[in-house]
Amino acid sequence: MKKPTLLLFAIMLCYGLAAQAQTVKGGITIGKTSELKIETKSDNIIDLFVEFRKDKYPILFSFQGDNIKSKNDREIIFFDFITEVYFNGKLIGKASRNPMPYIPGDMIIGTEGFDFISLLSFNELTKALIKDAPGKLPKGSYQVKLIAKPLDYKGQIKPGIFSFNVQ
């Protein structure tokens, strides 16, 4: 009677260790914080793009892994990057990139890594509101959520969020 109980305990212990064995944790920050309120002076999407390109708001992707299997002496993890753009609280665009390999540590990612400039520029809602002014953003409240999801690993990367208002 004790042998089956001991065997069952050993199996549960192995599964518990295996479930916790390979995990990642980290976050995305914009300008050194995971949630940033940007003060804009322009309604032109190019001005926002330039501020990001000049590293006024650097996007930093940082993560570490626990017990990650090495491949060629490197800990490589594939991530799916997802961008969500909201206008006045309503989701107006979502994009996902093909999975990209990363190694643990800190990496600066350009605006192109998340496609939020194109999502702000080319969506049905903003095109309908500003028909004759390409590159202009309609008045309102915007929020951009930058998400990284690890593939084949447990754990979570805290998303980076920035918001701004166009007057």
Side-chain angles (χ1 to χ4, degrees):
M1 185 100 177
K2 289 186 178 190
K3 285 184 181 182
T5 304
L6 186 58
L7 180 61
L8 180 61
F9 177 73
I11 291 171
M12 288 174 45
L13 180 63
C14 288
Y15 278 113
L17 290 174
Q20 295 177 355
Q22 296 179 334
T23 60
V24 297
K25 61 183 172 182
I28 297 173
T29 58
I30 301 110
K32 300 183 182 179
T33 183
S34 61
E35 290 192 41
L36 178 68
K37 175 76 172 156
I38 296 174
E39 297 296 326
T40 58
K41 294 179 174 59
S42 169
D43 62 353
N44 194 316
I45 191 66
I46 297 302
D47 294 332
L48 181 66
F49 177 67
V50 168
E51 289 180 339
F52 273 92
R53 292 294 293 169
K54 289 185 175 181
D55 286 332
K56 184 173 182 180
Y57 309 111
I59 301 170
L60 181 68
F61 173 48
S62 177
F63 79 96
Q64 58 187 358
D66 293 323
N67 300 318
I68 298 172
K69 292 180 183 176
S70 293
K71 295 177 182 173
N72 300 329
D73 295 328
R74 293 259 169 140
E75 298 171 332
I76 298 173
I77 299 175
F78 281 82
F79 285 89
D80 186 17
F81 287 97
I82 301 163
T83 305
E84 296 176 350
V85 175
Y86 297 85
F87 176 66
N88 293 332
K90 180 181 177 186
L91 181 67
I92 60 168
K94 185 174 183 176
S96 178
R97 294 186 52 144
N98 289 331
M100 295 285 296
Y102 285 91
I103 58 174
D106 300 334
M107 289 137 279
I108 298 281
I109 298 180
T111 58
E112 301 83 4
F114 287 99
D115 296 328
F116 60 84
I117 297 296
S118 64
L119 286 173
L120 285 165
S121 301
F122 301 106
N123 63 73
E124 295 305 315
L125 182 63
T126 55
K127 281 197 295 190
L129 292 172
I130 304 283
K131 295 176 187 168
D132 300 323
K136 299 286 184 179
L137 293 170
K139 291 180 181 180
S141 174
Y142 293 84
Q143 183 184 58
V144 177
K145 192 174 194 180
L146 310 176
I147 303 164
K149 290 187 176 183
L151 301 181
D152 302 325
Y153 291 91
K154 294 183 185 225
Q156 186 173 354
I157 304 299
K158 185 175 181 174
I161 300 170
F162 71 91
S163 59
F164 61 95
N165 291 316
V166 173
Q167 304 291 332

